[in-house]
Amino acid sequence: MPTTPSTRPETGQEPAGLPVHRPPAADLARAAGEFLAPSAPVRLGDVVPAPESVAEDPAADFTLPADAVIRVSAGAAARDVAGHLAELLRPATGCPLPVTGLPPAGADRLTLTLTGVTAGAGTEAAGDAVTAAPATGGNARTIAGTDPADDLGDEGYRLDVTPAEVRITAGTAAGLFHGVQTLRQLLPAAVESPTPVDARWVVPGGVIVDRPRFPYRGAMLDVARHFFTVADVLRVIDHLARYKLNHLHLHLTDDQGWRIAVDSWPALAGVGGATEVGGGPGGHYTTADYRRIVRHAARRHVTVVPEIDLPGHTNSALVAYPELAPGKVAPPPYTGTEVGFSYVDPADERTYDFVDDVLGEVAALTPGPWLHIGGDEAFKVRGAAYTGFVERTQRIVAATGKTVIGWHQIAPAAHAAGRVLQWWGTNGDDPEIAESVRRGARLILSPGNHAYLDMKYAPDTPIGHDWAGLIDVRRAYDWDPGAHLTGVPAEAVLGVEAPLWTESVTTLAEVEFMLFPRLPALAELAWSPRATHDWAGFRDRLAGHGPRWSTAGITFHRSPEVPWPVEPTDGDRGPSRRIPTQPGPDAAETPAPTAATTDG
Ligand code: TNX
């Protein structure tokens, strides 16, 4: 049921229901005329990805008071999550939201509460009163213990909303962080505003207990075909974190550009990084840039998976170091979009020095456990030359202490301990993959016809490909990662990843346009129990995210399949809105799809 839209308080009087005390920032914003109409109330189950269990209690809504505080159990990681929550809520609410500690407690539960100072009597003892459900053991355990889902695992959380407080309990900081993302979605859409907004910050009452279905939930950004700045990548990480995705795969190298500085082979980035599809300037990340990306991701419990694509997709490396090329002649730089023509010479020992140095440096810069070696579309390295190269590269990865991931084309190479194949096929009947799984491989599923975010939504989508078909939101949503491949049990599936190749994607707005609203669909497949799978319910929950994205300035595709609420400001949010859903008079403003620049 929609709330009555409130009006801007011209007279300085508070609209009914707002807290009387208002911090100075909110006053300033009122004076500046910043205002958004409140959106429809959120229900406890209106969360994407769908939580494992939801028990609504309409009598237990929590209203954020202006003097709210965040109390968090001891430990730097938990405190950091509390700081993150404060950073998320301060801009729109204008509340100062100080973060304070809970008294020390044992170590098996972390707790974060959002409550008013007065809710617990406003004294030091009040803090203790809140912590009568201490961070660990004691009541917190009892609360979780009242539910059969006591084991929240590595990433699960429990959220309790009562009139007195919002409490998030988890076994890990990652779980606490995911709980914070849920809480964010339970507040009105105006919480996404970068400036203070007059709203009643109500959180619907009840209990959520939630855990992921799959441990690997990711998206890939191809920064090689078109280069994207550090700021762009950080924003994409924020988008992942909202939907509880925990891996960002960076496709760092390809024919059109080499994007990561390698000290021992400086021309890779210096020369190989200076190109991109369509002839633009390209670019690369310095080691400091890459560290910044990794740090930003880590704070959001996102693991960066770096990919160095080998032995094919290497034209940019060959331009920089002709000694790696078969025939030792540098090819011209490549700015088109063909694939499969380039490769490093698998018969030359110098190639393995290169692989060893590059993977060693990238591994040393990367805190996460994975190294992705590509392996796709090396059409000119066949048979034993290909499998021999992959097997040797797998050993080089193992020597760095990382676990190897490769596109599923590496399947014919011998198994390596723990190895993961990223499957991007379009036909789930793939006996070679099933056989690799029997030999011990685990799978990341990126089916081209469901998860490839570079596919167009519809024939008139202004950017993107269609070789794997059109992927509207329903197509992105309607498949089951646990049963997609014949002969592959759900236990062999590590998770789901949505790749965004960027041959035709040139700006951050275009990246967002291709991610939203499909990324949340794939996030739900990766996180939510299969029992929650329901297109109609998903579509309705997703619709409520449109106003959130608009308020946050995120570009998205207004898929006709989703019942988006009407937004008064639609189409009027500045440069991020330049992508037309339908080609029309504005189409000229959108950079031409780079298909026009292929075959360079
Ligand atoms: C196939 S998927 C590729 C990429 C292209 C993509 C375009 C895969 C491992 N290789 O090189 O960018 O198609 O959709």
Side-chain angles (χ1 to χ4, degrees):
M1 188 182 65
T3 51
T4 313
S6 50
T7 50
R8 188 185 305 182
E10 308 278 356
T11 62
Q13 285 171 343
E14 300 290 350
L18 282 177
V20 176
H21 172 72
R22 187 154 295 282
D27 291 332
L28 277 176
R30 267 212 319 274
E34 287 287 343
F35 182 76
L36 290 175
S39 42
V42 183
R43 291 171 321 145
L44 193 66
D46 283 349
V47 176
V48 177
E52 185 178 282
S53 79
V54 176
E56 294 184 5
D57 182 353
D61 290 358
F62 171 80
T63 302
L64 186 77
D67 68 351
V69 292
I70 298 172
R71 301 185 207 273
V72 64
S73 52
R79 273 199 165 252
D80 202 47
V81 176
H84 183 81
L85 174 63
E87 287 164 27
L88 290 178
L89 301 189
R90 279 178 192 140
T93 63
C95 298
L97 286 166
V99 175
T100 67
L102 288 164
D108 64 337
R109 290 280 171 188
L110 303 175
T111 305
L112 181 156
T113 64
L114 182 60
T115 183
V117 170
T118 48
T123 62
E124 212 26 60
D128 291 338
V130 170
T131 58
T136 58
N139 290 358
R141 177 173 277 291
T142 313
I143 289 169
T146 59
D147 196 291
D150 187 29
D151 178 12
L152 297 170
D154 289 344
E155 294 190 279
Y157 66 92
R158 176 183 167 115
L159 177 104
D160 290 88
V161 182
T162 65
E165 66 175 23
V166 175
R167 171 184 298 266
I168 304 171
T169 314
T172 63
L176 219 49
F177 183 85
H178 297 318
V180 160
Q181 300 309 318
T182 293
L183 170 56
R184 181 185 193 183
Q185 291 187 21
L186 292 175
L187 283 156
V191 77
E192 298 294 338
S193 169
T195 51
V197 172
D198 274 329
R200 279 190 72 220
W201 303 110
V202 179
V203 182
V207 180
I208 289 178
V209 180
D210 200 10
R211 275 172 307 199
R213 181 179 182 196
F214 295 105
Y216 187 108
R217 306 175 305 279
M220 187 205 80
L221 182 62
D222 169 10
V223 295
R225 269 51 179 275
H226 281 98
F227 180 64
F228 294 89
T229 64
V230 172
D232 293 345
V233 175
L234 302 190
R235 187 164 154 108
V236 169
I237 290 168
D238 294 349
H239 297 338
L240 267 52
R242 267 176 197 273
Y243 294 103
K244 303 187 175 79
L245 295 168
N246 61 356
H247 287 82
L248 173 68
H249 167 185
L250 285 176
H251 182 73
L252 288 168
T253 66
D254 214 305
D255 293 316
Q256 300 87 346
W258 185 285
R259 306 298 180 209
I260 177 93
V262 176
D263 289 344
S264 51
W265 296 70
L268 288 171
V271 174
T275 44
E276 63 183 355
V277 167
H284 71 270
Y285 308 121
T286 63
T287 52
D289 289 338
Y290 183 77
R291 283 203 176 92
R292 212 176 135 210
I293 290 169
V294 160
R295 260 202 318 272
H296 185 92
R299 189 167 180 229
R300 286 150 187 80
H301 298 274
V302 171
T303 299
V304 171
V305 180
E307 178 186 351
I308 305 296
D309 202 348
L310 298 165
H313 289 274
T314 40
N315 198 77
S316 61
L318 306 182
V319 173
Y321 290 102
E323 66 201 88
L324 300 173
K328 315 300 167 202
V329 177
Y334 186 69
T335 58
T337 61
E338 296 299 315
V339 297
F341 56 90
S342 64
Y343 61 102
V344 291
D345 185 354
D348 192 322
E349 275 307 300
R350 190 74 183 126
T351 293
Y352 299 95
D353 294 341
F354 157 81
V355 172
D356 200 45
D357 291 342
V358 168
L359 293 182
E361 286 195 34
V362 172
L365 285 172
T366 302
W370 314 108
L371 263 192
H372 198 308
I373 60 166
D376 57 316
E377 299 171 326
F379 299 143
K380 298 198 171 166
V381 187
R382 293 164 191 278
Y386 176 81
T387 52
F389 176 89
V390 170
E391 286 162 12
R392 193 155 167 189
T393 302
Q394 290 182 157
R395 287 195 293 275
I396 291 171
V397 171
T400 70
K402 304 292 187 190
T403 300
V404 72
I405 306 180
W407 297 106
H408 74 256
Q409 278 73 21
I410 71 168
H415 182 68
R419 84 168 175 166
V420 174
L421 307 184
Q422 182 168 8
W423 185 78
W424 58 282
T426 54
N427 173 358
D429 241 337
D430 196 334
E432 190 170 49
I433 299 302
E435 175 52 27
S436 297
V437 166
R438 278 191 286 278
R439 283 187 279 147
R442 291 169 295 167
L443 298 181
I444 294 170
L445 298 186
S446 303
N449 52 347
H450 294 282
Y452 261 38
L453 298 183
D454 62 322
M455 294 302 126
K456 292 172 182 277
Y457 292 92
D460 60 3
T461 305
I463 53 175
H465 305 289
D466 61 6
W467 66 258
L470 301 169
I471 303 182
D472 58 15
V473 187
R474 184 161 192 170
R475 189 162 190 83
Y477 184 73
D478 264 347
W479 60 287
D480 179 1
H484 194 67
L485 283 179
T486 311
V488 173
E491 304 76 62
V493 176
L494 196 60
V496 175
E497 184 181 290
L500 179 58
W501 300 101
T502 61
E503 287 96 335
S504 73
V505 178
T506 62
T507 63
L508 177 65
E510 291 177 353
V511 168
E512 291 180 343
F513 178 81
M514 298 307 259
L515 295 187
F516 293 103
R518 292 179 294 194
L519 186 69
L522 292 151
E524 178 145 318
L525 293 186
W527 176 281
S528 305
R530 191 64 190 169
T532 65
H533 191 86
D534 166 35
W535 164 248
F538 173 71
R539 184 182 56 190
D540 290 349
R541 277 181 288 119
L542 186 64
H545 289 240
R548 289 172 193 275
W549 301 330
S550 297
T551 307
I554 298 171
T555 302
F556 66 102
H557 171 54
R558 290 197 154 267
S559 310
E561 320 151 78
V562 180
W564 310 106
V566 174
E567 292 181 57
T569 51
D570 266 0
D572 187 24
R573 286 200 175 263
S576 68
R577 290 270 160 180
R578 270 185 295 121
I579 298 189
T581 304
Q582 308 287 335
D586 292 348
E589 272 192 57
T590 303
T594 45
T597 64
T598 56
D599 306 317

